[in-house]
């Protein structure tokens, strides 16, 4: 069942799940550049919840630890690997 909702910012949206995330707010939060602009909203939220904002933060984790985060899937890994490689870094072994 789809329900009409209003977020704290006043955006009206419809959701069929229990997810409280406002799609308009998520679009406004999406970076216009950098590796996070290439990730899905759930992946960006997963990284943010761990305090991961840049490549230097990513290299403290193994790929397995990153994949374990809710919101990160296998399609996020190539983007993350590329960012690490561009900065001369790698996931922790």
């Amino acid at each position: 069942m789809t329900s009409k909702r209003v977020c704290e910012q006043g955006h009206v949206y419809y959701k069929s799940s229990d997810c409280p995330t406002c799609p308009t707010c998520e679009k406004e939060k999406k970076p216009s550049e950098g590796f996070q602009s290439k990730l899905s909203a759930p992946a960006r939220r997963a990284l943010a919840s761990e305090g991961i904002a840049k490549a230097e933060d990513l290299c403290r984790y193994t790929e397995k630890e990153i994949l374990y985060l809710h919101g990160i899937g296998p399609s996020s890994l190539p983007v993350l690997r590329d960012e690490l490689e561009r900065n001369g870094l790698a996931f922790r072994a």
Side-chain angles (χ1 to χ4, degrees):
M1 180 170 116
T2 302
S3 63
K4 181 178 178 180
R5 301 181 190 183
V6 180
C7 77
E8 293 176 359
Q9 303 300 317
H11 302 125
V12 177
Y13 62 100
Y14 294 86
K15 283 275 185 137
S16 58
S17 69
D18 291 336
C19 177
T21 304
C22 169
T24 304
C25 289
E26 281 301 311
K27 282 182 186 175
E28 291 174 356
K29 290 178 189 175
K30 184 175 182 176
S32 59
E33 57 185 33
F35 78 97
Q36 291 204 9
S37 68
K38 300 172 188 169
L39 297 172
S40 67
R44 288 193 311 273
R45 287 192 301 268
L47 294 177
S49 72
E50 290 294 312
I52 301 170
K54 52 190 184 233
E56 291 78 11
D57 302 326
L58 271 175
C59 70
R60 296 187 317 226
Y61 296 84
T62 65
E63 284 189 21
K64 187 175 180 177
E65 289 170 331
I66 292 294
L67 279 172
Y68 186 74
L69 300 176
H70 180 75
I72 299 283
S75 64
S76 299
L77 284 181
V79 173
L80 301 177
R81 282 188 205 113
D82 182 55
E83 180 65 11
L84 287 168
E85 190 175 304
R86 285 184 339 92
N87 286 278
L89 302 168
F91 282 111
R92 195 180 82 213

